[in-house]
Amino acid sequence: MEIIDGKLLSEQVKAEIAESVKNMIATGQRQPHLAAVLVGEDPASQVYVRNKVRSCEQVGFKSTLIRKSAEITEVELLDIVNNLNKDEDIDGFIVQLPLPGHINEEKITLAISPAKDVDGFHPVNFGRMAQGMPCYLPATPAGILEMLKRYNIPTSGKEVVVVGRSNIVGTPISILLSRKQEIGNATVTLCHSRTRNLEEHTRRADILIASIGRANQITGDMVKEGVVVIDVGINRVDDASAKRGYRLTGDVDFESVAPKASYITPVPGGVGPMTVVSLLLNTLKSRVERIY
Ligand code: BQF
């Protein structure tokens, strides 16, 4: 069993990005600039946005954080989005989800210019992804592809089972891994809450991707010997012995699954750091390639 060290990989990719930025600056170009909009005080969102701002600093990007109270109106938030769309100094921006209940996330996502949608959440980017056109890939699926690539884990002809069908992880990673491309050509099964006999599917997986959103759902008896396990879950579970009173755990029961796996991602330090790096790569891409 080998642990896929997402933390280490992310440091390697960040060093590569930092090198690119250094070269850009040396040749008189301006550095990439990412903006993030954070609404309200959701503790997890604050951590994620802080991660993103810190990562920008590490690679030499400019970053702008726009913090607003949870009482902001939808119209006010749309106004911020429109200004970011127009701001020529900003290469890409994100609106951190989830948003407060009175704001329609779909409406906000649709208002973001696809050209600056470095989260890859706009349906234009989703559609382009599904058809293999130039686009911004959603950060978590892009991070998973990068991990498989850098660990030389073959996907062609493999049985991939994805558990979870969200718009930002399960559905797009299913599409990407079934496409005719370097990391792809897999036979993909997409399982979800209405799947009957989940374990019959997961036991067939050469590569299992768990994005369920509940702790320790995939157990050792549900996987076959030699499986590659990608655990996308980030769940807080109470732990009196931890500093903050909780610890993070994945959707996979690491203890029972790891002994059967050929490769497995840990939580924390697996997919999460690669998600943040993918956001940086999309921002660099926006700065350098201008895909629209
Ligand atoms: C790690 C996210 C669910 C909903 C909205 C490193 C992150 C997390 C974990 C991180 C995530 C998850 C992000 C670790 C960003 C990934 O060491 O394991 C980094 O910052 N993430 C987000 O912005 O929104 C989410 C998960």
Side-chain angles (χ1 to χ4, degrees), residues 48 51-52 96-97 234 268-269 272-273 275-276:
Y48 297 148
N51 276 343
K52 292 168 189 179
Q96 183 68 38
L97 302 182
I234 300 177
T275 296
V276 177

Side-chain angles (χ1 to χ4, degrees), residues 2-21:
E2 189 176 346
I3 290 186
I4 300 181
D5 190 339
K7 181 80 186 147
L8 180 68
L9 268 192
S10 76
E11 298 302 334
Q12 288 167 358
V13 180
K14 277 192 229 178
E16 293 166 17
I17 299 171
E19 186 64 28
S20 305
V21 174

Side-chain angles (χ1 to χ4, degrees), residues 123-135 175-176 179 181:
V124 164
N125 277 312
F126 189 98
R128 295 179 70 110
M129 174 215 57
Q131 297 198 30
M133 295 172 178
C135 66
I175 293 169
L176 286 163
R179 288 196 57 79
Q181 54 192 19

Side-chain angles (χ1 to χ4, degrees), residues 27-103:
T27 56
Q29 302 169 69
R30 107 182 135 63
Q31 73 212 105
H33 184 180
L34 173 71
V37 183
L38 174 59
V39 178
E41 313 279 324
D42 179 72
S45 292
Q46 297 189 54
V47 172
Y48 297 148
V49 168
R50 214 179 316 125
N51 276 343
K52 292 168 189 179
V53 169
R54 183 158 30 88
S55 297
C56 282
E57 285 162 9
Q58 285 171 352
V59 299
F61 285 10
K62 189 172 167 186
S63 67
T64 298
L65 173 57
I66 300 170
R67 291 200 67 154
K68 292 289 164 189
S69 95
E71 278 76 54
I72 190 172
T73 66
E74 195 174 85
V75 169
E76 286 169 331
L77 187 54
L78 285 169
D79 194 50
I80 291 170
V81 167
N82 285 328
N83 285 329
L84 291 168
N85 284 340
K86 282 186 279 192
D87 189 336
E88 286 184 8
D89 193 60
I90 285 169
D91 299 296
F93 66 95
I94 65 159
V95 178
Q96 183 68 38
L97 302 182
L99 291 168
H102 65 281
I103 295 176

Side-chain angles (χ1 to χ4, degrees), residues 4 6 9 143-151 265 270-271 274:
I4 300 181
L9 268 192
I144 294 170
L145 296 183
E146 196 67 33
M147 285 180 135
L148 294 171
K149 181 173 172 168
R150 288 180 185 246
Y151 271 81
T265 64
V271 174
M274 293 305 290

